């Protein structure tokens, strides 16, 4: 939880087609939108065949983010959430770009998985659209991915993210904007192939209402109604009329439809192909369009963190229960780590980064989930699940930090895992790991009561002070601490007790 409630919060969506920013005032737990910024960057168009983001696109994106950054540069830490989506998930040079982008924005950027993106999109729609539908279907077309979700009220139950978007489909099937029936048929078939494994899951018989989110679906809805092809949002009949009209043109640049902006036009045909094939494949007849999308979902997710209702804590507990972990043991570890962190309150890592303890507590809940796979090297199995699983609320960076703590909580410490982390975690995680290791060591037999010991960390030197005679009465713990001296020495730390 933040030390104080911010007056304003912001969310930034670094999409594969457009970058969006929403700023809201926060008063008495209620949000009011006070500013929106949007720029069509077309990040996905800059991704070459080798999955590298070209310099021209990076420069365009960074120029946009410098403008965004000027608007939020005085916002306090943790009052801003910024996420990257599919293009930054794919780009091999994403990390180098993100370092520059964070400098431009003045706040950290997190890459979210496709499934997490789908969850956030659904949150944005659920909080933006009043509906009495029991089951609602939500679709969002981005620049290089399309998300499909079925949920109830504010909870997404089924989530999928497919690698197809308005930018990539337009580029791959309509070279230089050329339009033809043959090209449209190929594009539609491609979308149908991507959807085929999920056709039964997302069939219209499984929901009461279909809702579209994102600029592409808004644009299609506006064009259909302005052209007289539909008077009720997006309809299959209207889509057929729109497709017929588009295919009378030779090139997308020749298309002049009411409500279709010049900026949207180059990627419009890709979005149309995705919607048309989706309606056909899933037997959808009609879809309304929501104002809410990923950025609104981010704001509401941030609100939960501010008011100590972090979805990540709920996710951690659910996963721990699913893998039948020892809750009593994890509670012991959490209590002992809190005890140590309280003594280290003035340590720069903990005073500057209150999230450190939160990550340690999640690690305590999840470090033994690997037991379900094998007891031998269980920490490796636990770390793999944490890093690669779909974990609601966690970004890829969050999962990497957590995986590093879990992997290193016992046995030899892998220094390379720390260097792979994003700043400032690559500096903080080794000390956090040592705290986790010491707590695990002190509770190795799962029945011992924590002694009232003292801990001090001065750079690479860790000093433990136990009550007089306590270690003599705990010979196994004493032996474990002597072994720990060797492990920490290999990691360039010095432990004394």
């Amino acid at each position: 939880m933040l030390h104080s409630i911010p007056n304003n919060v912001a969310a930034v969506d670094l999409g594969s087609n457009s970058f969006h920013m929403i700023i809201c005032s926060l008063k008495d737990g209620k949000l009011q939108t006070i500013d929106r910024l949007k720029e069509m960057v077309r990040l996905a168009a800059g991704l070459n065949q080798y999955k590298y983001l070209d310099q021209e696109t990076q420069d365009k994106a960074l120029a946009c983010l410098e403008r965004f950054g000027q608007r939020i540069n005085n916002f306090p830490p943790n009052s801003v959430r910024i996420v990257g989506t599919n293009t930054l998930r794919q780009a091999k040079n994403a990390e180098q770009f993100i370092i520059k982008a964070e400098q431009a924005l003045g706040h950290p950027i997190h890459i979210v998985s496709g499934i997490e993106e789908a969850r956030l999109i659904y949150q944005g729609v659920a909080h933006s659209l009043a509906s009495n539908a029991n089951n609602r279907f939500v679709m969002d077309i981005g620049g290089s991915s399309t998300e499909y979700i079925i949920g109830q009220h504010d909870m997404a139950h089924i989530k999928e993210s497919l690698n197809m978007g308005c930018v990539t489909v337009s580029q791959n099937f309509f070279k230089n904007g050329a339009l033809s029936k043959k090209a449209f048929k190929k594009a539609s078939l491609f979308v149908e192939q991507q959807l085929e494994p999920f056709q039964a899951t997302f069939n219209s018989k499984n929901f009461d209402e279909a809702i579209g989110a994102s600029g592409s679906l808004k644009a299609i809805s506006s064009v259909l109604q302005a052209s007289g092809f539909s008077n009720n949002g997006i309809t299959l009949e209207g889509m057929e009329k729109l497709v017929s009209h588009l295919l009378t043109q030779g090139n997308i640049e020749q298309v002049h439809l009411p409500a279709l902006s010049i900026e949207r036009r180059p990627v419009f045909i890709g979005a149309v192909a995705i919607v048309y094939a989706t309606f056909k494949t899933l037997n959808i007849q009609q879809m309304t369009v929501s104002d809410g999308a990923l950025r609104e979902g981010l704001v509401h997710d941030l609100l939960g963190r501010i008011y100590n209702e972090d979805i990540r804590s709920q996710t951690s507990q659910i996963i721990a229960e699913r893998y039948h972990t020892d809750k009593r043991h994890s509670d012991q570890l959490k209590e002992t780590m809190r005890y140590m962190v309280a003594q280290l309150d003035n340590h720069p890592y903990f005073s500057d980064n209150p999230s450190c303890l939160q990550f340690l507590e999640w690690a305590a809940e999840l470090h033994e989930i690997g037991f379900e796979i094998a007891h031998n090297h269980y920490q490796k199995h636990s770390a793999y699940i944490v890093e690669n699983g779909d974990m609601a609320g966690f970004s890829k960076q969050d999962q990497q930090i957590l995986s590093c703590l879990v992997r290193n909580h016992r046995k030899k410490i892998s220094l390379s895992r720390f260097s792979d982390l994003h700043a400032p975690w690559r500096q903080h995680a080794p000390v956090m790991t040592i705290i986790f290791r010491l707590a695990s060591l002190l509770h190795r037999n799962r029945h011992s009561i924590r002694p009232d010991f003292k801990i001090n960390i001065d750079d690479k030197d860790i000093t433990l002070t136990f009550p007089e005679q306590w270690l003599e009465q705990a010979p196994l713990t004493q032996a474990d601490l002597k072994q720990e001296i060797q492990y920490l020495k290999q990691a360039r730390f010095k432990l004394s007790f």
Side-chain angles (χ1 to χ4, degrees), residues 357-384:
L357 181 57
Q358 196 173 31
F359 275 91
L360 284 168
E361 294 195 359
W362 292 328
E365 290 177 339
L366 299 174
H367 73 291
E368 291 185 338
I369 60 177
F371 273 146
E372 287 283 290
I373 297 172
H375 280 230
N376 195 30
H377 302 300
Y378 73 85
Q379 74 275 13
K380 295 181 181 179
H381 306 308
S382 300
Y384 180 86

Side-chain angles (χ1 to χ4, degrees), residues 35-96:
D35 200 4
R36 289 178 183 269
L37 293 173
K38 172 193 171 185
E39 292 195 27
M40 204 169 279
V41 175
R42 303 243 166 85
L43 204 63
L47 202 62
N48 66 25
Q49 60 180 323
Y50 304 108
K51 301 296 182 184
Y52 281 91
L53 199 58
D54 67 42
Q55 194 58 50
E56 182 182 352
T57 304
Q58 288 191 51
D59 291 343
K60 183 179 179 181
L62 291 169
C64 166
L65 296 181
E66 284 175 359
R67 291 187 282 274
F68 280 19
Q70 185 179 351
R71 184 67 179 83
I72 56 174
N73 62 8
N74 62 342
F75 277 46
N78 301 321
S79 68
V80 178
R81 279 208 70 194
I82 307 167
V83 300
T85 58
N86 197 47
T87 297
L88 292 178
R89 287 195 288 270
Q90 294 186 57
K92 292 181 179 179
N93 56 342
E95 187 174 350
Q96 295 93 314

Side-chain angles (χ1 to χ4, degrees), residues 132-318:
N132 295 319
N134 289 324
N135 286 310
R136 62 163 69 111
F137 167 85
V138 173
M139 174 184 181
D140 184 297
I141 301 173
S144 64
S145 69
T146 298
E147 282 68 45
Y148 298 92
I149 314 105
I150 291 178
Q152 290 182 313
H153 307 298
D154 62 352
M155 183 65 69
H157 295 302
I158 304 169
K159 308 176 285 288
E160 291 296 341
S161 179
L162 305 184
N163 284 321
M164 56 184 188
C166 61
V167 175
T168 52
V169 171
S170 296
Q171 282 184 324
N172 294 338
F173 295 95
F174 305 95
K175 303 289 185 185
N176 301 314
L179 302 179
S180 69
K181 289 182 180 179
K182 184 178 180 182
F184 191 83
K185 187 175 180 180
K186 283 184 176 180
S188 298
L189 182 61
F190 168 76
V191 175
E192 289 169 15
Q193 286 175 319
Q194 304 308 302
L195 263 175
E196 187 177 14
F198 314 103
Q199 185 174 3
T201 301
F202 290 108
N203 189 279
S204 62
K205 66 183 180 183
N206 296 326
F207 53 84
D208 307 305
E209 178 183 24
I211 303 167
S214 78
S216 288
L217 285 155
K218 284 183 182 179
I220 289 172
S221 179
S222 297
V223 167
L224 289 175
Q225 293 182 74
S227 303
F229 295 152
S230 169
N231 59 6
N232 188 24
I234 303 173
T235 63
L236 180 58
E237 183 182 358
M239 288 301 299
E240 288 173 339
K241 291 177 181 177
L242 176 59
V243 170
S244 295
H245 174 79
L246 289 171
L247 296 182
T248 62
Q249 310 296 306
N251 193 284
I252 194 67
E253 294 301 323
Q254 298 170 353
V255 173
H256 298 282
L257 287 165
L260 178 61
S261 67
I262 294 173
E263 195 177 33
R264 173 72 56 180
R265 189 166 58 189
V267 297
F268 187 67
I269 187 63
V272 168
I274 292 170
V275 174
Y276 181 75
T278 296
F279 271 50
K280 287 279 196 178
T281 304
L282 303 182
N283 195 30
I284 298 172
Q285 299 299 314
Q286 192 270 340
M287 175 181 283
T288 56
V289 178
S290 166
D291 286 331
L294 175 58
R295 52 215 167 265
E296 286 78 15
L298 281 170
V299 167
H300 285 280
D301 211 52
L302 178 59
L303 204 62
R305 298 185 183 191
I306 290 170
Y307 288 103
N308 209 24
E309 296 175 0
D310 195 330
I311 184 66
R312 292 176 295 179
S313 295
Q314 182 182 339
T315 298
S316 180
Q317 291 167 13
I318 290 170

